[in-house]
Structures are given as C-alpha cells and as structure tokens.
Amino acid sequence: MPRLVHLLKEKLMHFNIPLFLAILLFLNGVFAILIGVFPFIEAAIHDEGVQLVNHIIAGQGFKEFNTVISCFIGYLMLLIGRGIYRRLRFFWILALLMLITLFLTNIFVYYRSGFLTWFYFVEIIGLAISWKVFNVRSQTIKLSYAQFIVILSFILAFLYGVVGAYLLRDQFNSIKDWPDAIYFTVVTYSTVGYGDITPITDEARLFVVSMIFIGLGAFAAVLTFIVSAFIDRLQNLFQTFNKGKKHMKDHVIICGLNDLTHIIISELQQQNKSFLIIDSEHSETADSTELKSLTLHGNANDPDILDKASIIDAHAVIIAYEKDADNIITLLSINEFLNDHKPSKAAKITIRINQKNNINKAKSLGAAEVISPLVMAANAMLNSTH
C-alpha cells in the first residue's frame, strides 16, 4: 500500500505539476499583455493619453517604455509556459530566473506586495519543489525561413526607428531620451499616432516617411506572427483541457510517419481529405514537419491514443510503420478496440507488410487491404525483364 501511494504521488507530480505551472505562466503572460495593450485601448476610447499603466507598472517617466516591456514579457511567458508543459529543463531554468527577477523587482524596486507578486512566489515554489520532473534536457527550436525573415525584419526595422529617432531627437518636439524614442517608434509603426511627438524639420519628416516604408510592413507581419502563435498556444491549452482528443469524423488515420506515409499525406492534402497522424513522441521526422497540429504523439497500440484519434468515427486507417511486427501489433490493438466499442461502421484498415510470409498473417487478423511495397516493387522489376 505505501508503495502504491508513493507511485501515485510520483505520477501526480510527473504529469499534473508541469500542467499546473504552465497554466499559471499562461495566465501571467495574458495578464502582462493586457496590462501592456489596455492603456492604448483606453486612450483610444476616451481620446486621452496613456494613464492606466502609470498605476500598474511604473512611474510617469517610463510609462511607454514599460508598456512595451510588459507585452514582451507576456509573450515570453507564453513561450516559456509551453516549455514548462513539455518538462524541458532549459525552460524550467528560464522560468525560475524570470519569476525570481519579477518577484524581487516588485518587492524591492516598486515596493509592491499585491496579488501578482505572490502569484510569482507560488510559481517559484512550484518550480523549486518539482525540479526533478523537468528532465527533458534539450529540444531543437526550429523556425521556418519565412518566420526567420519576419523576425529579423522586425528587429532591424525597430532598431532603425529607435536609433534614428534618438539621433535626430533635437529635430523632434518631445524626444529627449531612449524611452521617448522607443515610444515614438511603437506609436508610429502601430499607426496609433497620438500626435504628442512630431517632427519639426524636413530631415526629421523624411526620416518618419522612411520609417513608415521600412517598418510598417515588418511591424504588421510580426504582430500577425505573434497573434497566430498566441492562438496556437490557446488551442493547445484547450486541447489539454479536453485531454488531447481530436474531434474528427470521416477522417483517415495514418499510423507512422516516414517516407511512405509522407507520400500518402501529400496525396490526401491534394484531395482535401481530412487526416490524422499517430506517431512516436520522439520521432525526429514528426518534429521537422509542419504537421504538428495533426499529429498525436504516442503509439497506435495504446487505447487512449486510439480514443483521442476518434477512431470510432474514422473512415479508414492506414498502418504503415517500418517494421512488420509494429504493424501487426497495431492491427491487433485496433481490432480489439473496435470490437470493444462496436462502432456503427468500422473503419477500413489497410496495413503495410514488408515480408512476403507475413502477408497471410495480416489478412487472417482482419486487415481489409494488405500492401507490400517490397513485393510490389520486386514483381514490377521482374515484369520489366519480360
């Protein structure tokens, strides 16, 4: 009995603590972004200057600068929350450092000890007591070429606006320091245009025109990138609450992601047919594709994975792992699952078999279609010799 209790506690720590901390960081990130953008919404509604941020973030002198920082920290927390959920050690360290910094800053710099400050403290304690859970030491962070160009363009455009505005500060009516230059750049690129900072020379006006041509597109592109990433993380969170189940009907389930199934996926995409992939969590092939939202990480012989894949409502199942043994075990597991749940219309099962002597075994186990790429290729090559 004590061993069972210890095992249950270990499982609870292993699965629920990262999820709980990820949700807290997600809420932190959303709250920080709201703090950053709400003053601008308030100002636009009431036709007033940015006021609310004075009372929430910092003093009058750095209000606009801290608004930008708040949005940046919020988005960073959303990214960190995903890493925490996946138990990545790097993101555990990053989250701990950020939360400790925010906690100490609130206590010793702003002299605040409100709800948000103790929210940070709870997260710090949670990370500290569960450090063993975060045992995934590395994960390749991959950006597409388009994402890299968008981010690089935004950074260069932002630096161009800030540095240029600061160097030409004497030719503007209200730019005195770096926070003013940052504020002017953000307001210009976001097309808010409060009018509190304006150019007073022809050279400054030409610079503002160049800012618009250089940075407006980059700023809009990176905002689109951030919003789409935010929506993806929100969908992932809802999926987590839904226990990861994919609600699909009349779809094709593909078991295994490899060279063969990539060809099948391409054909299904061209035919606009809905499909879902079940693949191992540690598959490098799965991580290198743009199919993450359509991939369930796990083994197709796991009943929980089959349930999440909505196999009851599937139109067809393609079992196409590299090894015959994996395919046959998966076929047995799927048939057992379907027999237990008795769907009104069972999915058609097509299985890949490499060895010729395993073809009859797969047919006897209930596969509707047995495809042997090696046998087909060998027969085609033999026929070509006649």
Side-chain angles (χ1 to χ4, degrees):
M1 188 65 181
R3 184 177 180 181
L4 179 60
V5 172
H6 175 73
L7 182 61
L8 290 175
K9 287 183 178 179
E10 184 178 343
K11 291 294 183 182
L12 181 67
M13 178 74 74
H14 186 75
F15 290 105
N16 288 356
I17 292 296
L19 174 61
F20 175 71
L21 293 174
I23 292 174
L24 291 183
L25 282 165
F26 177 84
L27 294 175
N28 266 346
V30 172
F31 187 67
I33 292 174
L34 289 177
I35 288 176
V37 301
F38 187 82
F40 293 99
I41 298 174
E42 183 189 49
I45 293 174
H46 300 289
D47 194 22
E48 299 174 353
V50 180
Q51 297 175 349
L52 182 65
V53 73
N54 301 342
H55 308 289
I56 297 181
I57 301 177
Q60 178 73 18
F62 295 95
K63 59 188 181 188
E64 297 89 359
F65 176 74
N66 278 284
T67 298
V68 177
I69 293 298
S70 180
C71 291
F72 173 75
I73 290 176
Y75 182 64
L76 188 59
M77 281 185 171
L78 296 181
L79 294 178
I80 293 175
R82 184 185 182 191
I84 290 296
Y85 173 69
R86 301 184 71 175
R87 299 182 291 108
L88 297 173
R89 176 61 59 88
F90 171 77
F91 284 94
W92 178 85
I93 297 172
L94 194 60
L96 193 62
L97 292 175
M98 174 178 284
L99 291 171
I100 289 175
T101 301
L102 291 173
F103 177 76
L104 295 178
T105 300
N106 279 358
I107 294 293
F108 297 106
V109 177
Y110 298 129
Y111 302 103
R112 292 198 302 257
S113 58
F115 170 75
L116 190 59
T117 302
W118 295 111
F119 204 64
Y120 295 147
F121 182 75
V122 170
E123 291 172 291
I124 293 170
I125 297 299
L127 288 170
I129 64 176
S130 60
W131 65 274
K132 290 183 178 180
V133 176
F134 300 93
N135 52 9
V136 181
R137 296 188 176 276
S138 64
Q139 182 191 40
T140 303
I141 301 175
K142 298 178 180 178
L143 289 175
S144 67
Y145 180 74
Q147 291 172 337
F148 173 75
I149 293 298
V150 166
I151 294 173
L152 181 62
S153 300
F154 171 76
I155 292 173
L156 294 177
F158 188 76
L159 290 176
Y160 174 77
V162 172
V163 175
Y166 181 76
L167 294 177
L168 296 174
R169 60 189 180 278
D170 294 335
Q171 302 183 43
F172 289 84
N173 62 351
S174 297
I175 296 181
K176 298 178 181 179
D177 49 25
W178 286 105
D180 289 336
I182 294 174
Y183 167 70
F184 174 72
T185 302
V186 173
V187 169
T188 301
Y189 284 164
S190 62
T191 68
V192 175
Y194 287 117
D196 50 346
I197 298 178
T198 56
I200 56 178
T201 67
D202 291 339
E203 185 179 0
R205 293 188 185 97
L206 289 174
F207 169 71
V208 173
V209 171
S210 69
M211 281 182 63
I212 294 173
F213 279 107
I214 292 174
L216 198 57
F219 195 83
V222 80
L223 281 180
T224 303
F225 173 70
I226 291 174
V227 170
S228 62
F230 175 78
I231 292 174
D232 288 342
R233 279 149 184 76
L234 192 61
Q235 290 176 341
N236 289 337
L237 181 64
F238 288 153
Q239 184 177 329
T240 299
F241 282 124
N242 200 30
K243 297 182 179 180
K245 186 169 183 176
K246 305 282 188 179
H247 293 282
M248 302 177 70
K249 287 187 176 182
D250 296 325
H251 56 294
V252 178
I253 298 176
I254 301 171
C255 304
L257 194 56
N258 46 56
D259 294 338
L260 176 63
T261 53
H262 272 299
I263 298 174
I264 297 173
I265 290 168
S266 298
E267 292 295 326
L268 291 174
Q269 288 175 329
Q270 291 180 4
Q271 298 172 17
N272 293 321
K273 291 185 177 180
S274 60
F275 63 91
L276 188 66
I277 305 163
I278 300 177
D279 193 56
S280 172
E281 184 176 1
H282 303 291
S283 173
E284 296 180 359
T285 308
D287 292 335
S288 63
T289 65
E290 298 178 356
L291 302 171
K292 292 183 180 179
S293 62
L294 296 172
T295 302
L296 278 176
H297 295 299
N299 294 316
N301 56 18
D302 185 349
D304 291 336
I305 295 295
L306 296 176
D307 182 51
K308 291 178 181 179
S310 297
I311 194 171
I312 299 298
D313 299 314
H315 170 70
V317 179
I318 297 174
I319 307 173
Y321 290 109
E322 298 284 356
K323 298 180 180 179
D324 287 358
D326 294 333
N327 292 326
I328 291 174
I329 291 174
T330 301
L331 175 62
L332 288 170
S333 301
I334 290 175
N335 281 330
E336 182 180 357
F337 185 90
L338 294 176
N339 289 333
D340 290 341
H341 292 79
K342 293 180 171 45
S344 57
K345 184 179 180 181
K348 178 182 179 181
I349 301 176
T350 302
I351 187 172
R352 167 188 179 178
I353 294 295
N354 294 317
Q355 301 298 323
K356 190 174 182 179
N357 57 348
N358 289 330
I359 293 178
N360 291 331
K361 295 178 183 177
K363 289 181 179 179
S364 65
L365 292 173
E369 293 284 345
V370 179
I371 307 297
S372 179
L374 294 178
V375 174
M376 292 173 63
N379 291 334
M381 295 176 73
L382 284 173
N383 291 334
S384 67
T385 61
H386 298 307

